Amino acid sequence: MFKPLQHRRILVFILMALVTSLVALVTPLFAQNSIDISGDRWLRVQAIAGDVQYFTSNKSNIAQEGDLLITSGDGVSTGSDSSCTLSVDVEMGTIFLSENTELIVEELSLAPDNGRITRLSVPRGNVVLNLRRFTHRGSELEIETPSGVSGVRGTDFGIIVHPEDQRTSVATETGAVFAAAEGVTVDVPNGFQTLIRMGDPPIEPQPIPAEPLFEYRIESAVRDYVRYLVLVGQIDPINQLYVADELQDVTETGEFRYEDFAYHGATVQVSIVTPLGDVTTYDVSLL
């Protein structure tokens, strides 16, 4: 028969063994919980330049790096000469917002296979997405614009919502993208682009040209005894046109018109911006 002291020691050893076993059992559970927590969905404000607003369903503030977009209605908007970069959770990629752009969260959720479902809306402006290829079949990312929906399964692509008529341009650099409107869905493969006009299905995707279309001529006009020089021309309506750093109205077929005072040596800078954010600049002599 054991002595009392020996008996106590054995009880201590037994208790220590039980505690060690419990820790071994519980630790994986905590680790699993940590994984679940890190899987929560969000977009994070990663970089800011200029005037950027962060807003939720009931408030709006100046955006700060680290702000999180978590629930439906959360969003960011950029002003003139401003931009913002959002990181998508668990290193899925980034979303770049150029100036005068608004992005709103519609849904951030998890699919049954732990894939990530991301649905956003872009009422106006230009966004460029750089995303790694998804590893779960259930993952999807969709962007809704006033004229259609574009979706992706891991890629680099860009979207422009044109302010004149809210037509939507979609261009794919790499990966698999689709564009849908009016019950019609088209695939937009690597190196292709498409356009969705309000009330119409997407046009047939076409290759992205090496150089953007830019045709123009110079005209003159006189009003109230003042002479003006008029830049008249055409670009691909998929792109945006800036003249003297001001976004110009472009018709649905790409025509534009810009006026300036006539003076000797008059020149103007013209920039064409693609959905992928590429910029081509020309110095045009008006006189």
Side-chain angles (χ1 to χ4, degrees):
M1 191 172 181
F2 296 113
K3 295 180 181 180
L5 181 59
Q6 293 174 320
H7 186 76
R8 284 196 299 270
R9 286 177 177 173
I10 291 175
L11 286 177
V12 169
F13 291 149
I14 293 174
L15 287 173
M16 289 178 64
L18 287 173
V19 169
T20 302
S21 299
L22 286 172
V23 169
L25 290 172
V26 172
T27 298
L29 296 178
F30 279 116
Q32 182 63 47
N33 286 339
S34 297
I35 292 172
D36 291 341
I37 291 171
S38 68
D40 286 349
R41 303 302 322 283
W42 41 259
L43 304 178
R44 184 190 302 273
V45 177
Q46 179 175 298
I48 297 170
D51 176 22
V52 180
Q53 295 292 314
Y54 163 78
F55 57 87
T56 65
S57 57
N58 56 13
K59 67 177 182 179
S60 177
N61 298 306
I62 296 173
Q64 304 289 332
E65 292 184 11
D67 283 343
L68 295 180
L69 285 63
I70 300 174
T71 62
S72 177
D74 292 355
V76 291
S77 62
T78 59
S80 299
D81 298 320
S82 303
S83 64
C84 176
T85 300
L86 304 175
S87 59
V88 187
D89 57 15
V90 294
E91 299 182 351
M92 284 179 60
T94 59
I95 303 175
F96 176 78
L97 287 70
S98 62
E99 66 174 347
N100 299 317
T101 298
E102 182 176 353
L103 180 145
I104 304 170
V105 170
E106 298 294 335
E107 179 185 352
L108 296 172
S109 60
L110 294 174
D113 67 350
N114 206 38
R116 283 162 169 76
I117 299 171
T118 305
R119 294 191 173 95
L120 311 171
S121 67
V122 178
R124 57 186 175 88
N126 178 200
V127 297
V128 178
L129 295 90
N130 185 295
L131 305 173
R132 66 170 173 79
R133 190 166 296 280
F134 298 160
T135 56
H136 294 82
R137 293 180 61 87
S139 293
E140 59 183 85
L141 185 146
E142 292 185 353
I143 293 184
E144 181 180 353
T145 68
S147 54
V149 175
S150 296
V152 61
R153 287 187 176 278
T155 190
D156 299 337
F157 79 114
I159 288 177
I160 293 176
V161 179
H162 298 264
E164 311 95 303
D165 53 12
Q166 295 190 314
R167 67 186 185 277
T168 299
S169 304
V170 182
T172 305
E173 185 171 11
T174 61
V177 174
F178 72 83
E182 300 299 316
V184 176
T185 300
V186 298
D187 292 325
V188 189
N190 297 358
F192 278 69
Q193 60 187 8
T194 187
L195 183 68
I196 308 172
R197 296 186 174 95
M198 289 289 289
D200 291 338
I203 66 172
E204 187 67 23
Q206 55 190 271
I208 300 172
E211 293 290 335
L213 172 67
F214 178 47
E215 298 176 348
Y216 70 92
R217 65 183 185 275
I218 307 298
E219 299 178 351
S220 62
V222 177
R223 291 194 307 275
D224 298 327
Y225 306 104
V226 177
R227 186 186 177 200
Y228 295 86
L229 295 174
V230 186
L231 179 66
V232 180
Q234 183 172 23
I235 66 168
D236 187 331
I238 282 177
N239 298 327
Q240 285 184 316
L241 177 73
Y242 285 79
V243 180
D245 293 327
E246 293 291 334
L247 180 63
Q248 303 298 305
D249 286 344
V250 176
T251 70
E252 66 174 18
T253 53
E255 287 85 10
F256 66 88
R257 182 182 180 91
Y258 172 82
E259 292 188 1
D260 199 359
F261 293 112
Y263 60 91
H264 183 69
T267 61
V268 68
Q269 189 175 80
V270 176
S271 297
I272 298 175
V273 181
T274 74
L276 292 174
D278 297 324
V279 181
T280 303
T281 301
Y282 306 88
D283 289 319
V284 177
S285 176
L286 299 178
L287 186 63

